[in-house]
Amino acid sequence: MNAAQEFLNAIGWGAARRQTLAGDASARRYERLTMGAARAVLMLAPPEDRATFDAFLSIASKLRGLGLSAPQVIGSDKDKGLMLLEDLGDRDFTALGPDQPEASLAATDVLIHLARNREGWTLPALTPHVMAEMTLIALPEGSDSDAALAEMQAQFVRVFTAPLVPALRDVHAENLLWLPDRLGLTRVGLLDFQDAVLAPPGYDLVSFIKDARRDIPDNIATAMTTRYVQALNLDGDAFATQCALLSFQRNLRIIGVFRRLARERNRPAYLTHLPRVYAHVTEALNHPALEDLAAVMQPLLPALRP
């Protein structure tokens, strides 16, 4: 009997039917369990990745404590990397399509709620230095990259506002579930949040709007941004510059991550998204307040172009 079956037997789910679910970009695997009318999701994580496992447990508890729909943990075995979770269903935002103002604004309200509840989190902080270092995965070695990193950090210091707020970091259509039978903020189910950080306001908003996998209509993006700015009483022009810089940083890193996934994990499907991701980078560099950054990035763009 394998470890997963022993775990399920111990928590009363040993008789469940198991069905493999699509995984994410990590080494984790998922199975949907069905036992009569009851359903749950089994997460199988590398046992050696204990920090990520513990982070998921801690952050899930924090999110539920804030009244948000993170999955309830039914049982876990940290030493074996096994966790049984509440099944929130499979109606993710991708299935809804991008032109869904109700769901998109509900997701925005979740991000506003997180920004308003920034106390009591134990998360790593995305400082200007850290955010610059995160883009190294996409940059070739050489003096041009060194100059770009220095300019990035200077721009991050200049533009990003304090205080930092909780960011789930991978907020996009595949990690958000629509739960229309629930009310208010709980209509948005949250997945894949174990890499949460403290980040400049708007990080997750930009992650959603500048999605690597799908295009968000301009009217939806504008409505989401306006709602976020007004709710948090932000300066609209300053926030627009911040969002452009966040989009640049995030999508530059994604270029490197997707290329590595294709090269090292034999996942070439990620390369199909690179034209959109590259377009997000160049669009951000066209922001008039980022002219100096655009100048130092110009020699590097040919190597980044898909």
Side-chain angles (χ1 to χ4, degrees):
M1 186 181 303
N2 63 29
Q5 190 61 52
E6 290 179 354
F7 167 71
L8 294 174
N9 288 345
I11 60 174
W13 281 79
R17 182 170 62 88
R18 297 164 61 177
Q19 175 189 5
T20 300
L21 295 175
D24 54 24
S26 74
R28 292 181 297 274
R29 295 184 295 113
Y30 298 89
E31 295 179 358
R32 170 163 284 132
L33 273 58
T34 306
M35 192 167 61
R39 298 204 316 179
V41 171
L42 176 65
M43 182 174 76
L44 303 96
E48 63 274 13
D49 193 5
R50 182 67 173 267
T52 300
F53 192 94
D54 290 345
F56 186 99
L57 288 172
S58 173
I59 296 166
S61 177
K62 179 73 173 177
L63 292 171
R64 290 195 305 274
L66 291 174
L68 300 176
S69 289
Q72 180 75 35
V73 179
I74 300 168
S76 65
D77 187 325
K78 297 181 180 182
D79 294 329
K80 296 177 181 176
L82 299 169
M83 193 183 305
L84 191 64
L85 302 168
E86 173 190 8
D87 187 353
L88 295 176
D90 50 17
R91 192 181 183 189
D92 65 24
F93 277 37
T94 303
L96 296 178
D99 193 7
Q100 290 288 334
E102 181 183 10
S104 298
L105 292 177
T108 307
D109 288 341
V110 169
L111 302 184
I112 292 167
H113 186 62
L114 285 172
R116 286 173 170 166
N117 289 274
R118 56 185 176 82
E119 304 296 338
W121 295 83
T122 305
L123 298 172
L126 292 191
T127 64
H129 174 74
V130 169
M131 295 189 80
E133 291 289 315
M134 287 169 66
T135 68
L136 279 172
I137 189 173
L139 300 177
E141 293 185 6
S143 58
D144 288 339
S145 292
D146 293 341
L149 281 172
E151 181 62 28
M152 278 183 219
Q153 187 162 335
Q155 293 285 352
F156 296 163
V157 170
R158 179 180 69 87
V159 172
F160 290 151
T161 58
L164 302 181
V165 302
L168 304 185
R169 195 169 165 192
D170 284 315
V171 173
H172 56 75
E174 295 177 359
N175 285 338
L176 298 177
L177 298 170
W178 186 236
L179 310 173
D181 293 336
R182 301 188 182 187
L183 300 175
L185 298 176
T186 63
R187 292 177 297 169
V188 180
L190 304 174
L191 302 176
D192 201 16
F193 43 72
Q194 61 281 334
D195 294 323
V197 292
L198 296 175
Y203 186 96
D204 281 344
L205 183 72
V206 167
S207 175
F208 185 97
I209 290 173
K210 301 300 180 183
D211 195 331
R213 298 164 180 82
R214 66 175 191 163
D215 297 319
I216 302 298
D218 289 343
N219 64 310
I220 298 293
T222 298
M224 293 177 69
T225 303
T226 300
R227 193 181 190 96
Y228 191 90
V229 166
Q230 292 179 348
L232 298 176
N233 195 28
L234 302 174
D235 179 280
D237 291 338
F239 187 68
T241 300
Q242 178 156 303
C243 285
L245 196 53
L246 287 167
S247 179
F248 164 79
Q249 186 274 345
R250 178 173 174 79
N251 285 290
L252 179 58
R253 173 175 169 78
I254 287 174
I255 289 174
V257 170
F258 281 7
R259 284 178 170 169
R260 184 176 65 183
L261 286 168
R263 181 178 64 251
E264 298 180 5
R265 298 193 187 177
N266 192 30
R267 298 187 181 184
Y270 281 97
L271 298 179
T272 63
H273 304 304
L274 289 186
R276 179 180 292 105
V277 179
Y278 179 80
H280 290 331
V281 170
T282 55
E283 178 191 38
L285 290 175
N286 285 331
H287 192 284
L290 303 184
E291 184 178 4
D292 291 343
L293 179 60
V296 297
M297 283 298 301
Q298 197 62 40
L300 299 171
L301 293 180
L304 300 174
R305 187 176 293 116

